[in-house]
Amino acid sequence: MSKIFGEKYPKSVWFIVLNEFCERFNYYGLRTVLMLYLTTVLKFNGDDSTIIYHSFVFLAYFMPLLGAIIADSYWGKFKTIVRLSMVYAVGNVVLTGASMADMFTLDVQKIIALLGLFLICVGTGGIKPCVLAFGGDQFQLPQQQTQFQHYVTHFMIAINVGALISSFLTPELRHSVHCFGRNSCFPLAFGVPAVLMFTAIAVFFAGKNMYVKKKPGHNVIVRTFGCLFYALKTKLKSTSSCHHTHWLDHAKTAYTEDEISDTRAALNAITVFIGYPVFWALYEQQGSRWTLQAMLMNGRLNFLNWTIKPDQMQAVVPLFGLLFLFLFDMMLYPLLAKIGIRKPLQKLTLSGCLAIVAFLFAALLQMNIFGKSTIVPHGEGRINIYNGFDCEVYVRSPSLRVDHIRPLGLVNVTSTLISDADVVEIVFHFDPACTLVPSDFELNTALTVINEKEVSYYLSSSSPYTISLNRIGNYDNLMKDKYGNPSLRILTDHSFDYDRDNVSLISVDDDTNSINSYSLSSFREMDFNSVVAGRYNLISDGNTILTSINLMPATLYTLTLQRNGDKTSFYRT
């Protein structure tokens, strides 16, 4: 026995607490970077990544039922922790291996990664109900009730410290180190937590000769469900007129008074916590949808010369967990008592209200990121005319209020309609400085304005000797990408060959998880394509012709290219 606060304290407990620190470091570390791994490396879309992430979390918190049954009925807590920790560690190795298995196809990498995640679920869920309880077995209760309470506090501190360090550190490892040809290093981000998991096993096993190991007996979960079903079955079959105060009393012939009383208390507790699954379903979005939301924001802190990584935001939870662990009893609860909030149910209600406010903030933030939808009112139509020439173009039209378009420029005009689709005459006259257009050339043509639609036209040379105004698609799709990514289209004239020209957009952000590149051929149809937000350079045959194209989230962009010294223009539409 060691002493803490002048009281005897089982030395074996420190092995359990340190084991919990290492295991929680591992679990929260890999979980923190999991969403970005699914989206950026395994290339799952946002919806599929969210499903996989929450399935992983669900299994991790469902498996404790199985772990508790195994520990209480078959293996005992010590063997259950050791054996399932081995499964846990194997899952870590498999997941780490999947993140560096570039020799396999992407589909094979996905299968390996999902297998690793499943093994981790079995391991972390299986030991979850055992570790804290196994520590409790080391105390003689009720004689050591005070020491046991200190142990629980130390256990919670270990959880939050492990989670805090790993939630901050693993995103830094992922981002700051480049490995296996990527602008990130998920093998390191998964590998370091895996090392901590093996450390957890070694530490726990080191104290095996000090532990109090209770033999397995009957399982509380099995007995509880058995009591429920037996009482229900007996009640339905009973023909006796004997009156019972509670329907669970029908189980008295097979279960003890304590078991029936505990089951009744559990049912009452379930009534109080019936809304909690909804809360936890929303709460766990911090690792999925909220991480995707953070990817759309600029986490730069200029005064620290540091950028908060999208997945690093999850470190806030264990940080506040540590702070509130001490502040609740000393400050917050006394303050709440002064305004009449004393009962646990009142505190739960207040917490639920605060959670609602938090989720409303997240919704408002998402609305702010996406901005207002582009809607054309009824009775109006909108026209975009892109100038594909590096010279001033003068415009005459009886219906459109526009007189010129600047070189490689854009003009946006709204017109009131007489019908659902009005045909508008328009004349283009080119500045004499334009070397690609014959002198005094005028283009007489027409365009169509459509009710409640935005239509784009591109003025360019469709062949070496032909200048025309071409409609881009049917009409512009102004729907923003559902995941908040920017949408980009590239407009070119006849001088560009989508298959032969080596023209690409290449990301130049230091904070991206991988190097994003888009070739000209991917914009062949001149439609809006979803791309990853960030800064890009436009490269043609190895030469940079446009730098620092900043593609912001949830925004539509158009890039026009002309092969006249590779003149380019860039617009947010």
Side-chain angles (χ1 to χ4, degrees):
M1 293 279 189
S2 61
K3 285 191 175 183
I4 183 167
F5 303 114
E7 300 168 337
K8 291 183 178 181
Y9 202 75
K11 290 182 179 179
S12 58
V13 165
W14 294 113
F15 292 95
I16 298 171
V17 171
L18 185 55
N19 162 269
E20 184 67 11
F21 165 81
C22 295
E23 188 275 327
R24 290 291 88 183
F25 184 107
N26 169 60
Y27 175 73
Y28 282 102
L30 69 91
R31 201 180 86 160
T32 298
V33 299
L34 179 58
M35 194 67 180
L36 292 186
Y37 174 65
L38 294 172
T39 55
T40 62
V41 177
L42 297 185
K43 303 301 181 183
F44 287 106
N45 62 38
D47 289 340
D48 290 341
S49 297
T50 301
I51 292 172
I52 294 170
Y53 177 87
H54 287 287
S55 298
F56 169 75
V57 174
F58 169 78
L59 280 176
Y61 284 95
F62 178 79
M63 292 306 295
L65 291 174
L66 181 61
I69 293 172
I70 293 174
D72 288 345
S73 302
Y74 302 101
W75 292 349
K77 297 184 185 70
F78 176 78
K79 290 182 179 179
T80 300
I81 293 171
V82 172
R83 291 172 180 176
L84 292 185
S85 290
M86 294 292 186
V87 176
Y88 195 167
V90 171
N92 284 122
V93 172
V94 172
L95 180 61
T96 304
S99 66
M100 63 177 71
D102 289 343
M103 72 289 296
F104 298 116
T105 64
L106 186 60
D107 288 338
V108 173
Q109 292 180 49
K110 290 179 179 179
I111 293 172
I112 297 173
L114 293 177
L115 174 61
L117 290 174
F118 175 75
L119 294 175
I120 290 170
C121 288
V122 173
T124 186
I127 68 174
K128 193 179 295 292
C130 302
V131 181
L132 178 62
F134 186 65
D137 290 345
Q138 311 309 306
F139 295 89
Q140 297 177 5
L141 299 176
Q143 297 91 332
Q144 291 184 304
Q145 183 65 36
T146 302
Q147 296 94 318
F148 174 72
Q149 291 175 350
H150 290 153
Y151 157 69
V152 173
T153 300
H154 298 150
F155 195 88
M156 296 304 298
I157 291 174
I159 291 174
N160 284 284
V161 171
L164 175 61
I165 296 174
S166 62
S167 298
F168 179 84
L169 180 61
T170 51
E172 288 292 336
L173 297 176
R174 167 192 62 77
H175 171 266
S176 301
V177 180
H178 301 173
C179 62
F180 295 94
R182 298 193 186 105
N183 197 28
S184 61
C185 195
F186 281 96
L188 184 62
F190 289 138
V192 170
V195 171
L196 265 292
M197 188 60 222
F198 281 100
T199 304
I201 297 172
V203 168
F204 182 77
F205 199 75
K208 66 175 182 176
N209 294 327
M210 301 182 187
Y211 297 137
V212 174
K213 304 171 188 175
K214 295 184 178 180
K215 294 182 179 180
H218 68 270
N219 182 264
V220 174
I221 295 175
V222 174
R223 295 289 293 178
T224 299
F225 279 102
C227 181
L228 287 169
F229 289 118
Y230 185 84
L232 183 61
K233 181 180 70 173
T234 305
K235 176 179 172 61
L236 294 175
K237 290 183 177 181
S238 176
T239 57
S240 173
S241 59
C242 180
H243 177 71
H244 292 284
T245 57
H246 194 279
W247 65 272
L248 281 173
D249 292 335
H250 287 279
K252 285 183 177 180
T253 56
Y255 293 85
T256 66
E257 287 288 347
D258 287 341
E259 288 175 326
I260 294 172
S261 176
D262 290 344
T263 303
R264 187 184 298 119
L267 290 178
N268 292 334
I270 288 174
T271 304
V272 175
F273 293 104
I274 196 167
Y276 259 47
V278 177
F279 165 78
W280 284 107
L282 294 172
Y283 170 84
E284 291 296 345
Q285 289 189 30
Q286 62 178 299
S288 58
R289 289 298 185 181
W290 286 15
T291 298
L292 293 178
Q293 184 186 70
M295 292 176 66
L296 304 176
M297 295 185 286
N298 179 10
R300 186 68 181 172
L301 300 177
N302 291 323
F303 67 95
L304 293 177
N305 193 29
W306 176 64
T307 299
I308 302 175
K309 315 305 179 293
D311 40 359
Q312 225 162 26
M313 294 297 295
Q314 298 175 61
V316 173
V317 175
L319 175 62
F320 278 93
L322 280 173
L323 292 176
F324 290 155
L325 189 63
F326 300 102
L327 294 180
F328 266 43
D329 288 330
M330 292 187 295
M331 295 179 59
L332 187 58
Y333 286 158
L335 288 175
L336 292 177
K338 291 182 179 181
I339 59 175
I341 300 177
R342 297 182 179 87
K343 297 179 180 179
L345 194 57
Q346 292 175 320
K347 297 172 184 176
L348 287 173
T349 303
L350 176 62
S351 300
C353 292
L354 293 176
I356 291 173
V357 173
F359 294 125
L360 287 176
F361 278 147
L364 292 173
L365 179 59
Q366 189 74 359
M367 291 174 61
N368 186 62
I369 292 173
F370 271 71
K372 297 180 180 179
S373 299
T374 304
I375 299 175
V376 182
H378 179 72
E380 294 183 358
R382 192 172 296 157
I383 293 293
N384 294 317
I385 303 176
Y386 293 91
N387 178 12
F389 295 94
D390 186 27
C391 60
E392 198 88 10
V393 176
Y394 304 100
V395 183
R396 299 195 309 272
S397 174
S399 304
L400 302 179
R401 293 189 298 272
V402 57
D403 55 7
H404 76 285
I405 312 175
R406 64 185 181 85
L408 291 174
L410 161 70
V411 63
N412 180 276
V413 185
T414 300
S415 178
T416 302
L417 300 180
I418 300 174
S419 62
D420 286 339
D422 290 355
V423 178
V424 177
E425 294 182 355
I426 191 168
V427 179
F428 297 98
H429 179 72
F430 297 83
D431 189 276
C434 188
T435 58
L436 299 179
V437 180
S439 179
D440 297 326
F441 175 79
E442 283 191 349
L443 176 64
N444 293 272
T445 185
L447 48 78
T448 303
V449 186
I450 302 176
N451 185 38
E452 298 182 354
K453 300 296 182 182
E454 182 167 319
V455 182
S456 291
Y457 288 85
Y458 186 40
L459 180 64
S460 65
S461 54
S462 54
S463 71
Y465 307 104
T466 304
I467 297 173
S468 60
L469 181 69
N470 298 307
R471 183 167 167 175
I472 305 171
N474 191 16
Y475 52 82
D476 288 352
N477 180 8
L478 302 178
M479 293 294 294
K480 296 180 179 179
D481 181 79
K482 65 180 293 186
Y483 304 117
N485 294 313
S487 297
L488 173 69
R489 66 181 173 189
I490 298 179
L491 308 180
T492 66
D493 61 14
H494 76 280
S495 63
F496 285 88
D497 189 309
Y498 285 102
D499 296 317
R500 296 181 181 179
D501 282 330
N502 184 20
V503 179
S504 299
L505 278 172
I506 299 179
S507 63
V508 293
D509 272 333
D510 293 333
D511 297 326
T512 54
N513 299 303
S514 59
I515 298 174
N516 299 299
S517 177
Y518 303 95
S519 65
L520 183 62
S521 60
S522 59
F523 299 92
R524 182 188 304 272
E525 302 300 325
M526 296 189 182
D527 290 332
F528 285 108
N529 289 348
S530 176
V531 296
V532 176
R535 291 185 302 114
Y536 292 82
N537 287 345
L538 183 67
I539 309 296
S540 177
D541 295 323
N543 299 316
T544 302
I545 58 176
L546 190 62
T547 61
S548 297
I549 303 173
N550 192 19
L551 302 182
M552 298 294 291
T555 310
L556 305 175
Y557 294 95
T558 299
L559 178 66
T560 59
L561 301 179
Q562 183 203 46
R563 198 182 295 281
N564 179 20
D566 286 324
K567 299 294 180 64
T568 60
S569 186
F570 183 63
Y571 300 100
R572 175 187 295 187
T573 57

